[in-house]
Amino acid sequence: MKKIGIIVGSLRRYSWAKALAKNIAIIFPAEFQIEFIDISRLGLFNEDIESQPNAEWDRFRDQVRSSDGIVFVTPEYNRSIPGGLKNALDVGSRPTSKSVWEGKPAMIVSTSTGRLGGYNASQHLKDIALGMYMKIDGGTSDLNIGGVASIFDNNLALKDKGIAQLLNMSVRKFISQVVVSSIEPAISQAVGNDSDKFNFAFLPHQLHLSDLKGNQVAFADIELKFEPDVIIVDHIEVDDKYRGQGIAKLMAEKIVTICRTFDLKVDPQCEFAVDFFERNQQYHDLVQR
Ligand SMILES: Cc1cc2nc3c(=O)[nH]c(=O)nc-3n(C[C@H](O)[C@H](O)[C@H](O)COP(=O)(O)O)c2cc1C
């Protein structure tokens, strides 16, 4: 089961951001465990005590570390994020090299009672998150919800259908990002080196082939999509000096292996991949229809 941590930037009891966060939490399908990560009890970050045992800091760091993705829902304070949220980000970022944020997919939602929806807060948060090497996707990071006091009914359920639809779409994209992010290391490990001449490497959005000296031999631009689970093959390119040696076929066969191992379909988009999957009947079951 995947876990999503939700962090609300406002500490206020009747916070609109918190109300929105609760509405976002219920969009996630039941397979996702949702944990609200409280930042209100964290003491102020101080480098003098950063590696000394501190129950609240440790608990917070553990909660973030064990999350597969983080959703931030925050108001804007004086054209930036609230100090409490910045403090939490700093606490999680230390000690150096033990940051709990690195590699975590993040969804950013900013709120404001005014019209601009906390745009500056979300941009600042995006900058900070990218600086801490979180994974941010354009489709889930520019959600600026203005007039937040008027989007709920009396029970604080979202009544604004447009915003509900936007959040639904964004959560779906975010889920896909979280799943991709969690499967990438496993694929990287599985691609292995099954030849004494070449090494395969699986990078985000690319399958890479190099010779034993590390020189690039070929690459394939790919995208992983979920629901349905599919690898889209956008492009396969072999370096000039390796042309005519069956390298593109080797790349396509590696994609087949990844599909079989991880139960994925393939969606060939480039000419070579389309032709490869058409000609090889034994792989027809893999092709996304
Ligand atoms: C200290 C402070 C600074 C604020 N600065 C901004 C601001 O820069 N831009 C803005 O749109 N709203 C600003 N606001 C208004 C907040 O959007 C509004 O108070 C909101 O309801 C706070 O979020 P919450 O309801 O989740 O606690 C500020 C509020 C406070 C308390």
Side-chain angles (χ1 to χ4, degrees), residues 8 10-12 14-18 75-80 111-114 116-118 148:
V8 177
S10 170
L11 310 185
R12 196 165 76 86
Y14 298 110
S15 150
W16 295 118
K18 198 186 294 170
E76 179 170 288
Y77 276 8
N78 298 310
R79 303 286 178 263
S80 186
T111 58
S112 157
T113 44
L116 297 180
V148 69

Side-chain angles (χ1 to χ4, degrees), residues 3-273:
K3 195 180 104 179
I4 302 295
I6 299 188
I7 297 181
V8 177
S10 170
L11 310 185
R12 196 165 76 86
R13 190 161 172 204
Y14 298 110
S15 150
W16 295 118
K18 198 186 294 170
L20 186 61
K22 287 179 183 164
N23 279 274
I24 292 172
I26 57 175
I27 300 174
F28 281 86
E31 312 84 270
F32 285 81
Q33 182 199 340
I34 306 291
E35 181 173 34
F36 277 82
I37 302 179
D38 181 22
I39 60 168
S40 68
R41 287 178 226 285
L42 296 173
L44 282 181
F45 178 75
N46 177 345
E47 216 178 333
D48 287 341
I49 54 164
E50 73 171 14
S51 35
Q52 287 169 20
N54 174 328
E56 283 307 326
W57 289 7
D58 288 347
R59 184 187 55 84
F60 173 74
R61 288 167 176 157
D62 286 347
Q63 284 176 306
V64 175
R65 199 180 287 113
S66 61
S67 300
D68 297 290
I70 301 287
V71 178
F72 293 102
V73 188
T74 186
E76 179 170 288
Y77 276 8
N78 298 310
R79 303 286 178 263
S80 186
I81 58 171
L85 177 55
K86 181 64 166 64
N87 184 54
L89 294 167
D90 292 339
V91 168
S93 72
R94 288 297 180 120
T96 325
S97 83
K98 287 198 178 152
S99 167
V100 293
W101 306 111
E102 196 171 326
K104 289 279 174 233
M107 172 168 165
I108 296 177
V109 183
S110 67
T111 58
S112 157
T113 44
R115 273 183 304 162
L116 297 180
Y119 173 81
N120 285 296
S122 76
Q123 295 304 304
H124 287 186
L125 181 50
K126 197 184 337 186
D127 263 4
I128 296 165
L130 285 172
M132 300 189 308
Y133 304 107
M134 295 189 86
K135 291 182 184 158
I136 313 269
D137 183 284
T140 58
S141 63
D142 289 313
L143 301 162
N144 312 120
I145 312 294
V148 69
S150 63
I151 62 173
F152 303 106
D153 66 17
N154 291 339
N155 299 315
L156 292 179
L158 202 51
K159 68 173 184 196
D160 186 311
K161 293 215 162 50
I163 292 176
Q165 213 173 14
L166 175 74
L167 291 172
N168 261 302
M169 257 169 44
S170 304
V171 164
R172 281 178 42 170
K173 279 190 194 159
F174 184 58
I175 286 173
S176 174
Q177 198 192 343
V178 168
V179 177
V180 167
S181 168
S182 66
I183 201 175
E184 267 170 5
I187 295 182
S188 297
Q189 220 172 17
V191 288
N193 304 320
D194 47 11
S195 138
D196 53 6
K197 277 164 68 186
F198 301 119
N199 284 329
F200 279 102
F202 186 82
L203 314 169
H205 309 300
Q206 215 173 60
L207 178 66
H208 195 263
L209 187 68
S210 56
D211 65 19
L212 297 183
K213 288 187 182 144
N215 303 312
Q216 177 171 287
V217 174
F219 66 88
D221 288 329
I222 53 179
E223 286 171 67
L224 283 171
K225 286 266 161 72
F226 287 82
E227 295 179 43
D229 304 350
V230 59
I231 290 190
I232 302 165
V233 184
D234 291 321
H235 181 69
I236 296 181
E237 186 169 319
V238 178
D239 278 22
D240 286 349
K241 66 176 179 174
Y242 289 100
R243 297 249 164 100
Q245 298 178 32
I247 301 288
K249 182 167 168 275
L250 192 68
M251 298 290 282
E253 281 166 352
K254 184 51 96 174
I255 291 168
V256 166
T257 307
I258 294 171
C259 288
R260 293 255 187 254
T261 311
F262 291 91
D263 200 17
L264 303 165
K265 294 277 184 198
V266 67
D267 178 2
Q269 290 287 332
C270 66
E271 211 180 314
F272 178 83

